[in-house]
């Protein structure tokens, strides 16, 4: 059985839902982490790619970019499992720090190297998004119809 790797964004439901709709995803694409009878619009929700609610990487990336460009607090994970049943989560952003790396030590060296690689990739993505923001191009990113 092959492991299914997933990419997960967690952010406040209000913003995640708003940006999912903005990029053309369905209303229920942002899934609250905790279901309650009277949901808190600013409680955390999750968007998972690939999945039935977010089948295209472009949509996931656009939501990610919009969260970043609008200074919304979020977390990015790499996960295993299924969209509706995650079996593991590895936090990628905010990134693993040097102290945690030292604590994990030799036994997790390969995983730390992988996380450091993801951290470098995310830094490049954030730098590109910063350039978009400073160039004024961030305003129309992911806009419907054009």
């Amino acid at each position: 059985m092959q492991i299914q790797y997933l990419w997960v964004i967690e952010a406040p439901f209000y913003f995640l839902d708003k940006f999912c709709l903005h990029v053309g995803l369905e209303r229920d694409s942002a899934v609250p982490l905790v279901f309650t009878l009277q949901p808190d619009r600013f409680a955390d929700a999750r968007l998972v790619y690939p999945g039935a609610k977010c089948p295209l990487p472009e949509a996931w990336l656009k939501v990610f970019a919009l969260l970043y460009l609008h200074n919304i607090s979020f977390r990015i994970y790499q996960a295993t499992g299924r969209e509706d049943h995650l079996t593991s989560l590895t936090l990628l952003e905010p990134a693993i720090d040097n102290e945690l790396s030292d604590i994990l030590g030799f036994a997790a060296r390969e995983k730390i190297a992988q996380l450091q690689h993801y951290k470098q990739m995310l830094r490049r993505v954030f730098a590109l998004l910063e350039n978009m923001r400073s160039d004024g191009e961030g305003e129309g990113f992911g806009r419907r119809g054009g």
Side-chain angles (χ1 to χ4, degrees):
M1 185 167 147
Q2 188 174 354
I3 295 175
Q4 171 74 35
Y5 287 101
L6 306 166
W7 295 92
V8 179
I9 298 173
E10 288 183 0
F13 176 78
Y14 173 81
F15 296 106
L16 197 56
D17 184 55
K18 176 181 172 179
F19 295 148
C20 284
L21 291 172
H22 186 76
V23 304
L25 294 174
E26 298 296 322
R27 173 151 307 276
D28 67 343
S29 297
V31 178
L33 295 184
V34 177
F35 291 93
T36 62
L37 294 177
Q38 296 180 350
D40 177 357
R41 294 180 345 148
F42 295 99
D44 282 341
R46 177 179 288 158
L47 177 65
V48 179
Y49 165 80
K53 297 177 181 192
C54 186
L56 301 174
E58 295 84 1
W60 190 91
L61 288 168
K62 286 179 182 180
V63 170
F64 162 59
L66 287 167
L67 288 165
Y68 183 79
L69 290 171
H70 287 87
N71 294 315
I72 307 301
S73 177
F74 63 90
R75 289 175 304 284
I76 297 176
Y77 297 92
Q78 185 180 47
T80 58
R82 298 185 319 262
E83 177 181 20
D84 59 344
H85 179 75
L86 302 178
T87 55
S88 73
L89 282 173
T90 301
L91 181 64
L92 300 178
E93 181 63 36
I96 189 168
D97 62 13
N98 291 336
E99 184 178 353
L100 181 55
S101 176
D102 291 342
I103 291 170
L104 292 174
F106 183 77
R109 184 167 290 173
E110 185 176 324
K111 190 65 171 177
I112 292 168
Q114 181 185 24
L115 291 174
Q116 295 296 351
H117 175 70
Y118 288 136
K119 183 177 172 180
Q120 291 170 355
M121 288 184 349
L122 285 170
R123 278 193 198 134
R124 288 194 298 263
V125 169
F126 291 137
L128 290 170
L129 289 170
E130 280 297 325
N131 287 338
M132 288 175 58
R133 179 184 290 167
S134 64
D135 292 343
E137 295 175 19
E139 296 297 318
F141 190 83
R143 185 179 300 153
R144 284 186 176 181

